[in-house]
Amino acid sequence: MEHKWNREQRTLISELIQGMELAKQLRVHLGAASSVESGDLLVQRILSSYEKALLILKLSGPMGQPQQNVGATSGVSESPLSINCSPRSDDLDKDNQDIRDVSKKRKMLPRWTDQVRVSSESMLEGLHDDRYSWRKYGQKDILGAKYPRSYYRCTYRNTQNCWATKQVQRSDEDPTIFDVTYRGTHTCAHGNQAVRQPASPEKQEYKSNNLNNNNNQQLQSQDILLNFRKGLKVNTEGLDNKEMAPSFSFPSTTSFGCLKSENNSFSPSGVLDNNNVFGNFSSPFMSPDTPELNYFSVSPSQTNNFGGFFNAQHSESDLTELISANTSATNSPIMDLDFSLDQVELDPNIQFDTPGFFS
DNA sequence: AACATTTGACCGTC
DNA sequence: GACGGTCAAATGTT
């Protein structure tokens, strides 16, 4: 690419490279400290994530999202967190097309999937609840799927013009797995604060349990999770008939506004925040066992947000909500890149910290 | 009464 | 025309 990278992209790349360097340093330290192969493997995979993220940036080129904002309207620009969302001056006459453009807009919204595994135990913990307030607006039987798909929108769509939606689809293969597809970023007042929220370690572990059980690092994380969960009380509110029935519904009511538990601080440091961001979309490469995921998905094996999360002080009720905290689009402006990562073949040995990368 | 959910109808896309 | 996504009236819940 010979084009100019904009400042945000340079910053992003710089952060990625810095993270990669830090991971390398960590590997050196781990190597010096006795036999911790799992740690070394973890670092290797972290590095791989960074490299692939950088490659994605490289492939998408300056401005990152050439497919976005094509056509008469710039649908994603309504998200204050969308990268490169500067208003287009030639969109001034779009008012009379708003209604017709709604579907276009929605189609252009960032979209990604998460997977939630709900065991009989975790059902009791309100696992499936995330930190936003959702209102169910539809349910559909999907062709070829055993279970119906449920549609949710932000409770504050009308009051705050927040167009975030999500779809929940129970997996055919494993009924304890729910694919949650998020679409659009939360633009409601509380939703914007979700920038710092981590991907849910709970979800990550569930997916890890189910789909990627080949790494010690994951087992370690599971131990952490299990210990953590022992401290939780059962959230009986999460156990309603709807969840047991084929037409599963996520409870959506919250008393905290759009974003739940706004008093929680997830990350004690910005470093963790950055890790959150990167962790959220590195997974398609690192979770080869999830071929069905066509967009960004949260990988438990790659997302390590435990630090800030578990260090924070929470009440029990907070924890049962936080444990299912979702990966908000607001975490990652790059979620605007709605493309299939499966199509990208990557060489794990590619070096991005070469001088010419920014050229 | 206010809000959430259910569900059949409608609409856009392929 | 089939399908997925959304709407909106009816119904349920608090």
Side-chain angles (χ1 to χ4, degrees), chain A residues 55-298:
Chain A
L55 180 56
I56 293 169
L57 263 177
K58 181 80 172 176
L59 289 175
S60 58
M63 303 310 293
Q65 46 196 27
Q67 303 92 334
Q68 293 286 344
N69 297 342
V70 293
T73 60
S74 53
V76 294
S77 66
E78 66 184 344
S79 167
L81 290 156
S82 295
I83 195 166
N84 300 328
C85 58
S86 54
R88 298 168 59 106
S89 57
D90 53 348
D91 282 345
L92 299 177
D93 59 343
K94 65 178 181 182
D95 283 353
N96 55 357
Q97 288 202 349
D98 277 352
I99 295 176
R100 273 176 296 171
D101 288 342
V102 165
S103 61
K104 273 187 183 177
K105 273 184 166 183
R106 287 174 187 162
K107 203 172 181 179
M108 294 165 66
L109 289 174
R111 185 180 62 176
W112 70 103
T113 58
D114 194 359
Q115 282 198 330
V116 183
R117 184 175 182 182
V118 181
S119 65
S120 56
E121 174 190 1
S122 60
M123 269 184 168
L124 303 179
E125 297 174 357
L127 150 78
H128 42 270
D129 196 5
D130 58 32
R131 297 174 59 243
Y132 291 101
S133 180
W134 300 100
R135 168 178 285 188
K136 188 175 183 178
Y137 66 86
Q139 179 172 302
K140 266 291 212 193
D141 288 322
I142 301 302
L143 194 72
K146 273 185 206 169
Y147 304 102
R149 179 177 299 167
S150 296
Y151 301 87
Y152 298 84
R153 63 171 173 81
C154 179
T155 301
Y156 302 95
R157 165 181 284 190
N158 295 330
T159 58
Q160 297 187 34
N161 199 29
C162 178
W163 288 85
T165 63
K166 72 173 180 181
Q167 302 173 3
V168 179
Q169 176 70 61
R170 194 170 195 167
S171 171
D172 288 345
E173 294 81 17
D174 186 349
T176 66
I177 298 280
F178 293 86
D179 288 324
V180 183
T181 300
Y182 294 92
R183 189 173 291 183
T185 59
H186 280 272
T187 58
C188 50
H190 295 294
N192 288 341
Q193 299 173 16
V195 173
R196 291 175 172 271
Q197 71 175 321
S200 162
E202 182 81 357
K203 287 180 179 179
Q204 295 161 20
E205 290 316 309
Y206 281 128
K207 188 179 175 183
S208 175
N209 278 338
N210 185 58
L211 299 170
N212 208 346
N213 55 2
N214 56 350
N215 279 311
N216 291 336
Q217 62 185 20
Q218 291 154 9
L219 296 177
Q220 291 168 357
S221 298
Q222 287 162 17
D223 289 340
I224 295 171
L225 175 67
L226 289 174
N227 290 332
F228 172 65
R229 288 165 72 182
K230 286 177 183 174
L232 296 177
K233 74 175 182 181
V234 169
N235 182 356
T236 54
E237 291 182 359
L239 181 64
D240 58 25
N241 293 333
K242 287 173 290 187
E243 294 176 357
M244 308 301 289
S247 60
F248 175 88
S249 294
F250 276 42
S252 59
T253 305
T254 175
S255 57
F256 290 95
C258 180
L259 177 64
K260 290 186 179 180
S261 307
E262 50 195 309
N263 56 331
N264 297 305
S265 63
F266 290 94
S267 299
S269 73
V271 173
L272 279 172
D273 290 343
N274 288 340
N275 289 341
N276 292 343
V277 170
F278 294 138
N280 283 346
F281 46 78
S282 60
S283 59
F285 306 106
M286 308 304 291
S287 299
D289 295 335
T290 58
E292 74 280 10
L293 292 181
N294 291 324
Y295 357 96
F296 291 105
S297 62
V298 174

Side-chain angles (χ1 to χ4, degrees), chain A residues 5-53:
Chain A
W5 296 87
N6 67 27
R7 194 173 57 186
E8 285 176 331
Q9 288 175 311
R10 284 180 174 274
T11 302
L12 175 59
I13 292 169
S14 172
E15 289 295 328
L16 284 168
I17 291 174
Q18 183 183 356
M20 196 160 59
E21 288 301 323
L22 291 171
K24 286 178 179 175
Q25 292 176 27
L26 177 60
R27 180 168 58 182
V28 171
H29 286 299
L30 287 175
S34 74
S35 59
V36 277
E37 292 186 11
S38 62
D40 192 60
L41 178 63
L42 174 61
V43 173
Q44 186 57 50
R45 296 185 68 173
I46 292 171
L47 285 171
S48 180
S49 284
Y50 280 122
E51 289 166 355
K52 288 163 182 172

